Amino acid sequence: MRHFLSTADWTRPELQGLLDRAAAFKTGTVSRALEGKSIALLFFNPSLRTRTSFDIGANKMGGHAIVLDAKGATWPLEFADGAVMDGTAEEHVREAARVLSSYVDLIAIRCFPEFKDWPSEREDPMISAFAKHSTVPVINMETIVHPCQELAMMLALQERIGAVQDKTFLLTWVPHPKPLNTAVANSALLMAAKFGMNVRLLVPDERYRLDERYMGAAERFTAEGGGSVTMTTDVEAAYTGADAVYAKSWGALPFYGHWDDEAPFRAKGRDFMITPEKMALTNNATVSHCLPMRRNVKIADAVVDSPAFLGIEEAANRLPVQQAVMEALASQGGVK
Amino acid sequence: MRHFLSTADWTRPELQGLLDRAAAFKTGTVSRALEGKSIALLFFNPSLRTRTSFDIGANKMGGHAIVLDAKGATWPLEFADGAVMDGTAEEHVREAARVLSSYVDLIAIRCFPEFKDWPSEREDPMISAFAKHSTVPVINMETIVHPCQELAMMLALQERIGAVQDKTFLLTWVPHPKPLNTAVANSALLMAAKFGMNVRLLVPDERYRLDERYMGAAERFTAEGGGSVTMTTDVEAAYTGADAVYAKSWGALPFYGHWDDEAPFRAKGRDFMITPEKMALTNNATVSHCLPMRRNVKIADAVVDSPAFLGIEEAANRLPVQQAVMEALASQGGVK
Amino acid sequence: MRHFLSTADWTRPELQGLLDRAAAFKTGTVSRALEGKSIALLFFNPSLRTRTSFDIGANKMGGHAIVLDAKGATWPLEFADGAVMDGTAEEHVREAARVLSSYVDLIAIRCFPEFKDWPSEREDPMISAFAKHSTVPVINMETIVHPCQELAMMLALQERIGAVQDKTFLLTWVPHPKPLNTAVANSALLMAAKFGMNVRLLVPDERYRLDERYMGAAERFTAEGGGSVTMTTDVEAAYTGADAVYAKSWGALPFYGHWDDEAPFRAKGRDFMITPEKMALTNNATVSHCLPMRRNVKIADAVVDSPAFLGIEEAANRLPVQQAVMEALASQGGVK
């Protein structure tokens, strides 16, 4: 039985198959793959697009979505094996996953890291425990990667610029008042590399390098399938000739858990907001950002409101790509 | 493309058309106008009846409702154009409205004013921004007016007393521990005036006069379609001969944002609770209140539990009138 | 019109009928008893299994569930007749129940006691008020009893050990960091007694005796239908020869509202966790617990992960037994 936890576990042809299916949904193809089936959407963190698009997508395919707010509306969960549960957690994932599996046909989970201890949080313990104990397929709705966003991004890019092989993809750190999850940055890096793009990672300081698991995977993908991965702090060089710009802010991993120390390095990127001046250096590049997005902090209004902006199409693509993922997982032979 | 933001934007025949359609739903007419369609119900404030009746109503017409809790379960939203989003808001309505529009066919919004600054809040900035940027119709589930409640109220009145033209409608301020939104009072005023009733606004002090936008509109409606609008602080005169009594408590606008100063004026209405003695002065009037309603503070048990009370029928009417509104908006040619 | 508030109101043959229907659902029987109907799920407390299984169950029978979070997403409710509502409650159950009844065909309620005053809370005032004022059937999703859990427990027992008449059922108090609701213990007691089992109630101190309403009912049931009810503090005697072990922690009623005084008595049960050593004394007994369940506090991992553990099957049974309950209540002639 296959889960959808990270695109790193799926081959490029498999991912392209999901994108092609999503494109078909956009032009009227109808699937009833979830007829009589249900999906639990388990949120440990807030969501607007994800819960709406998963719910609508399941409904369009004849299925039924149950939205569960894991903080507040349900019980605190333990995921460690052998835990003596005398703290705040009322239930172990071993039970929660098996019981949910008895009710529904798919389980989707959003669980952001806690920003305290990267060595343990990089193991993605909650969704890993669900995937281990669930008897139905598990979908990642954003943990330390965000594979559904990646698919939506790549579909929007292919729709706008066609084949992306060997095109230049600028993944730029942008300002934000506080350190954020690296998930979307990790995912943008993985997906652009998987599809053979020349990935430039622009950061205000080398300390903003992403986790080696993702940097290394991106290097392997490009070694095998073409493209390249480079990191730079040179804004002008990074933008020059880029075909696609992708913006994201994140917290530098060396300061994980003691974030106050990150401030001076974060300050080095104070001018990293995407502006028309920077965009003028590119090869008429598209620009995008997952949503939510702070205007005039991460990207200037003049860029967001220009034809180069792909963020709305990318967000709209969440619906058909997630339909494709749900269909693919639900149609595995012999599941449940 | 038409929204349903305020009944002031709809003619009396159009509104009567919605009421007639609602009455038909109550006697068994079935509509499948939302087949394959969906509606997002976006709540910035709590709701029992509204979310239940919209969800059930959409479901009865073949549609699918998504309930979004805008405080907590989704991201804080910015609505000001040109904002530098370095505060708490994580997302601009420009993006939220366009993306939601890509997923769903209708967007309904509840967003109460913040009770801080009436000059800005009377512009209804959140729903106005959604209506401006959404590419699908927007429905008001209560902001500074509550048009769905108005329709439910008028349907209940017509069911009970038939034609309302030139009947006397007493809109009376009633006690409550704290200052409340003027939305339902504004709406009761608009709707009774639109349908040619003689509206008496009974308040403990002239400072409880409603906003000129609504007072002026009510005067225009009655000048054109019959009826009248008067304001009084004389309880006995107000009740005498009334055909319909409608109760609501609200905060006096001159004290908006510095509510402590309102206390002495609020105290002048301490005896404004609706009692059997007051009802005895009327022309065997109906009495109603939108729900929730504090018993024995706003209306005495003996009145609530008497046959004169229309509040349950009015609340029940929320379901069919909202079906009529959703059907009317969803069936606009060429929408989406 | 019949509600499902407590199994004490239903005869053993009626309850067996629900269990048989649930078993049929598990082997593929399809019911469309809720076609075009809806159910409101009103939660005053958190839920994972209950909301998921009711929602899925309604959907499987063609119905539509509305989940209402009564704390936060809706208004605070008053249930006392004649109350002057000048406190925090914004709405009376009289209105809420009648209006909800106008929208939906079934109302299900979860409302735990407040742990302050047992004499008033043992009257189950919220669900009692809903049952009194609702015009549609009301289902108990756990208040001071948990009848849906009872059905699921008994179905799991019958599936595993067949006829339960005269089998020995050990209901054992187990440790927990804080005093908990007696609902599941009351229900396990009622159900095992109703089905003629020899019930042993094992507690760390006689002060953990359950409320006389439930002890007395269990004694009546066994007097009429066979089996017996005994209470003991002797662990070894209690486990010896048991056929089914059921674990639950609860607060001792004599300390209700002044829980700090319970600590020394709670300490007497510090070794009451279910272990392989205790299970070795039984007649190869099954062991179960409603979920959520704290591992290695209430039951040791080695027992939870052994074939004796029925908790997952019991939780999975919530879905079909609740389908049976909804079907039975929705099919009453002349309802609504």
Side-chain angles (χ1 to χ4, degrees):
Chain A
M1 185 184 69
R2 202 150 182 203
H3 302 298
F4 188 71
L5 303 180
S6 167
T7 57
D9 309 326
W10 292 61
T11 67
R12 180 170 167 182
E14 286 174 333
L15 295 171
Q16 187 62 51
L18 293 173
L19 296 174
D20 292 344
R21 189 67 178 153
F25 289 139
K26 292 183 74 169
T27 55
T29 295
V30 172
S31 167
R32 299 300 286 180
L34 294 193
E35 196 77 57
K37 294 184 189 292
S38 55
I39 178 170
L41 309 177
L42 188 55
F43 288 98
F44 291 82
N45 310 93
S47 166
L48 169 63
R49 266 159 293 281
T50 298
R51 69 178 285 185
T52 306
S53 55
F54 264 103
D55 191 331
I56 300 274
N59 185 260
K60 280 184 185 294
M61 299 196 292
H64 183 57
I66 304 285
V67 178
L68 297 168
D69 171 10
K71 281 191 178 141
T74 68
W75 312 101
L77 290 172
E78 173 65 59
F79 48 75
D81 282 345
V84 176
M85 293 173 59
D86 55 4
T88 56
E90 293 277 355
E91 176 149 28
H92 199 285
V93 172
R94 282 175 175 268
E95 277 69 62
R98 285 185 290 168
V99 172
L100 266 184
S101 299
S102 79
Y103 297 151
V104 300
D105 301 278
L106 295 167
I107 297 173
I109 296 172
R110 163 165 292 190
C111 187
F112 296 168
E114 297 197 334
F115 285 70
K116 291 177 184 163
D117 179 59
W118 183 241
S120 61
E121 294 172 24
R122 79 189 286 278
E123 300 309 321
D124 226 355
M126 185 65 79
I127 199 167
S128 299
F130 264 95
K132 182 174 172 189
H133 298 295
S134 169
T135 59
V136 299
V138 173
I139 297 173
N140 187 332
M141 299 196 293
E142 189 175 355
T143 59
I144 56 172
V145 288
H146 195 353
C148 294
Q149 190 72 39
E150 292 174 52
L151 288 175
M153 175 194 86
M154 185 50 70
L155 181 58
L157 274 179
Q158 292 183 343
E159 289 170 333
R160 185 70 74 93
I161 64 177
V164 301
Q165 177 80 42
D166 296 323
K167 292 275 171 60
T168 298
F169 181 90
L170 168 58
L171 172 56
T172 175
W173 187 95
V174 287
H176 190 282
K178 55 187 177 186
L180 298 179
N181 192 356
T182 56
V184 171
N186 294 335
S187 277
L189 170 66
L190 286 177
M191 196 66 170
K194 179 83 87 169
F195 277 75
M197 302 186 81
N198 293 308
V199 183
R200 297 172 183 169
L201 179 61
L202 172 62
V203 290
D205 185 276
E206 293 194 353
R207 289 166 183 80
Y208 285 87
R209 184 177 174 87
L210 295 167
D211 188 90
E212 271 319 298
R213 178 192 294 144
Y214 307 109
M215 297 300 293
E219 283 160 8
R220 284 198 309 280
F221 296 156
T222 50
E224 293 164 8
S228 60
V229 179
T230 56
M231 188 172 89
T232 179
T233 60
D234 181 337
V235 173
E236 187 172 334
Y239 273 86
T240 300
D243 298 298
V245 178
Y246 202 78
K248 189 69 190 76
S249 194
W250 65 89
L253 296 177
F255 306 102
Y256 210 93
H258 50 106
W259 292 107
D260 288 349
D261 299 336
E262 188 209 21
F265 302 94
R266 176 166 294 268
K268 292 170 77 174
R270 70 171 69 84
D271 296 326
F272 272 47
M273 180 171 76
I274 302 180
T275 59
E277 294 69 31
K278 293 192 184 76
M279 290 302 293
L281 299 171
T282 69
N283 180 28
N284 196 26
T286 61
V287 60
S288 195
H289 186 290
C290 71
L291 301 177
M293 168 192 73
R294 289 169 178 256
R295 283 172 168 256
N296 300 314
V297 171
K298 291 171 162 182
I299 311 182
D301 271 352
V303 176
V304 177
D305 297 329
S306 76
F309 188 65
L310 268 184
I312 301 296
E313 288 92 321
E314 179 175 321
N317 283 345
R318 294 287 301 279
L319 177 56
V321 301
Q322 291 162 188
Q323 285 188 268
V325 170
M326 289 188 277
E327 183 188 58
L329 294 185
S331 63
Q332 298 177 69
V335 172
K336 203 178 176 185
Chain B
M1 184 185 71
R2 202 150 181 203
H3 302 297
F4 189 70
L5 303 180
S6 168
T7 58
D9 309 327
W10 292 61
T11 68
R12 180 170 166 183
E14 286 173 334
L15 295 170
Q16 188 61 54
L18 294 173
L19 296 174
D20 292 345
R21 189 67 178 152
F25 289 138
K26 292 183 74 170
T27 55
T29 295
V30 172
S31 168
R32 298 301 285 181
L34 293 194
E35 195 76 57
K37 295 184 189 291
S38 55
I39 180 169
L41 308 178
L42 188 56
F43 288 98
F44 290 83
N45 311 92
S47 166
L48 169 65
R49 269 157 292 280
T50 299
R51 68 178 286 186
T52 305
S53 56
F54 264 104
D55 192 330
I56 299 275
N59 185 260
K60 280 183 185 294
M61 299 196 292
H64 183 58
I66 304 285
V67 178
L68 297 168
D69 171 9
K71 281 191 179 141
T74 69
W75 312 101
L77 290 171
E78 171 66 58
F79 49 75
D81 282 345
V84 176
M85 293 173 58
D86 54 5
T88 56
E90 293 277 355
E91 174 149 29
H92 199 285
V93 172
R94 283 175 174 269
E95 277 69 62
R98 286 186 289 168
V99 172
L100 266 185
S101 298
S102 79
Y103 298 151
V104 300
D105 301 278
L106 295 167
I107 297 173
I109 296 171
R110 164 165 290 191
C111 186
F112 295 168
E114 297 195 335
F115 285 69
K116 291 179 184 160
D117 179 59
W118 183 242
S120 62
E121 293 171 25
R122 79 188 286 279
E123 301 308 322
D124 226 356
M126 185 64 81
I127 199 168
S128 299
F130 263 96
K132 182 175 172 188
H133 297 296
S134 169
T135 59
V136 300
V138 172
I139 296 173
N140 188 333
M141 298 196 293
E142 190 176 354
T143 59
I144 56 172
V145 287
H146 195 355
C148 294
Q149 190 72 40
E150 293 175 51
L151 289 175
M153 174 194 85
M154 184 50 71
L155 181 58
L157 273 179
Q158 292 182 344
E159 289 170 333
R160 184 70 74 93
I161 65 177
V164 301
Q165 178 80 42
D166 296 323
K167 292 276 171 59
T168 296
F169 181 90
L170 168 58
L171 172 56
T172 176
W173 188 95
V174 286
H176 191 282
K178 55 187 178 184
L180 298 180
N181 192 357
T182 56
V184 171
N186 294 333
S187 277
L189 171 66
L190 286 176
M191 196 66 169
K194 178 84 86 169
F195 278 75
M197 301 185 83
N198 293 308
V199 182
R200 297 174 184 168
L201 179 61
L202 172 62
V203 291
D205 184 277
E206 295 193 351
R207 290 166 183 80
Y208 285 87
R209 184 177 174 87
L210 295 167
D211 188 89
E212 271 318 297
R213 179 192 292 145
Y214 306 110
M215 296 301 292
E219 284 160 7
R220 283 197 310 280
F221 296 157
T222 51
E224 292 164 8
S228 61
V229 179
T230 56
M231 187 172 89
T232 180
T233 59
D234 182 336
V235 172
E236 188 172 335
Y239 273 86
T240 301
D243 298 298
V245 179
Y246 202 78
K248 188 71 190 75
S249 193
W250 64 89
L253 296 177
F255 306 102
Y256 210 94
H258 50 106
W259 293 107
D260 287 348
D261 299 337
E262 188 208 20
F265 302 95
R266 176 167 294 266
K268 292 169 78 173
R270 69 172 72 85
D271 296 325
F272 272 47
M273 180 171 76
I274 302 179
T275 58
E277 293 70 31
K278 292 191 183 78
M279 290 302 294
L281 300 171
T282 69
N283 180 28
N284 196 24
T286 61
V287 60
S288 194
H289 186 290
C290 72
L291 301 177
M293 170 192 71
R294 287 169 179 257
R295 283 171 169 257
N296 299 316
V297 171
K298 291 171 161 182
I299 311 182
D301 272 351
V303 177
V304 177
D305 297 327
S306 76
F309 187 64
L310 268 184
I312 301 296
E313 289 92 321
E314 180 175 321
N317 282 344
R318 293 288 301 279
L319 177 56
V321 301
Q322 290 162 190
Q323 285 188 268
V325 170
M326 287 189 278
E327 182 188 59
L329 294 185
S331 63
Q332 298 177 66
V335 171
K336 202 177 176 186
Chain C
M1 185 184 70
R2 201 147 182 206
H3 303 297
F4 189 71
L5 303 180
S6 168
T7 57
D9 309 327
W10 292 61
T11 67
R12 179 170 167 183
E14 286 173 334
L15 295 171
Q16 187 62 53
L18 294 173
L19 296 174
D20 292 344
R21 188 68 179 152
F25 288 139
K26 292 183 75 169
T27 54
T29 295
V30 172
S31 167
R32 299 301 286 180
L34 293 194
E35 195 77 56
K37 295 185 188 293
S38 54
I39 180 170
L41 308 178
L42 188 55
F43 288 98
F44 290 82
N45 310 93
S47 166
L48 168 64
R49 267 158 293 279
T50 299
R51 69 178 286 187
T52 304
S53 55
F54 265 104
D55 191 331
I56 300 273
N59 185 260
K60 280 184 185 295
M61 299 195 292
H64 183 57
I66 304 285
V67 178
L68 297 168
D69 171 9
K71 281 193 178 139
T74 69
W75 312 101
L77 290 171
E78 172 66 57
F79 49 75
D81 282 345
V84 176
M85 295 173 57
D86 55 4
T88 56
E90 294 277 354
E91 175 150 27
H92 200 284
V93 171
R94 282 175 175 268
E95 277 69 62
R98 285 186 290 167
V99 172
L100 266 184
S101 298
S102 80
Y103 297 151
V104 300
D105 301 278
L106 294 167
I107 297 174
I109 296 172
R110 163 165 290 191
C111 186
F112 295 167
E114 297 197 335
F115 284 70
K116 291 178 185 161
D117 179 59
W118 182 241
S120 61
E121 293 171 25
R122 79 189 285 278
E123 300 309 321
D124 225 356
M126 185 64 80
I127 198 168
S128 299
F130 263 95
K132 183 175 172 188
H133 298 295
S134 170
T135 59
V136 299
V138 173
I139 297 173
N140 188 333
M141 299 195 293
E142 190 175 353
T143 59
I144 56 173
V145 286
H146 195 355
C148 294
Q149 190 73 39
E150 292 174 52
L151 289 175
M153 175 195 84
M154 185 51 69
L155 181 58
L157 273 179
Q158 292 182 343
E159 289 171 333
R160 185 69 73 93
I161 64 177
V164 300
Q165 179 81 42
D166 296 322
K167 292 276 172 59
T168 297
F169 181 90
L170 167 58
L171 171 56
T172 175
W173 187 95
V174 287
H176 190 281
K178 54 187 178 186
L180 298 180
N181 193 357
T182 56
V184 171
N186 294 334
S187 277
L189 171 66
L190 286 176
M191 196 66 170
K194 178 83 86 171
F195 278 74
M197 300 185 82
N198 293 308
V199 182
R200 297 175 184 167
L201 179 61
L202 171 62
V203 292
D205 185 277
E206 294 193 352
R207 290 166 182 82
Y208 285 87
R209 186 176 172 87
L210 295 168
D211 188 271
E212 270 319 298
R213 179 191 293 144
Y214 307 110
M215 296 300 293
E219 283 159 8
R220 283 198 309 280
F221 297 157
T222 50
E224 293 164 8
S228 61
V229 178
T230 55
M231 188 173 87
T232 180
T233 58
D234 181 336
V235 173
E236 189 171 335
Y239 274 86
T240 301
D243 299 297
V245 179
Y246 202 79
K248 188 68 189 76
S249 193
W250 65 89
L253 297 177
F255 305 103
Y256 210 93
H258 50 106
W259 293 106
D260 287 349
D261 299 336
E262 189 209 20
F265 302 95
R266 176 166 294 266
K268 292 169 76 175
R270 70 171 70 85
D271 296 326
F272 273 47
M273 180 170 77
I274 302 179
T275 58
E277 292 70 32
K278 294 191 183 76
M279 291 301 293
L281 300 170
T282 69
N283 181 26
N284 196 25
T286 61
V287 60
S288 194
H289 187 289
C290 72
L291 301 177
M293 169 192 71
R294 289 170 178 256
R295 282 171 169 257
N296 300 316
V297 171
K298 291 171 161 182
I299 310 182
D301 272 351
V303 177
V304 178
D305 297 328
S306 76
F309 188 64
L310 268 184
I312 301 296
E313 287 91 324
E314 179 175 322
N317 283 345
R318 295 287 302 277
L319 177 56
V321 300
Q322 291 162 188
Q323 285 188 268
V325 170
M326 289 189 277
E327 183 188 58
L329 295 184
S331 64
Q332 296 177 69
V335 171
K336 205 178 174 185

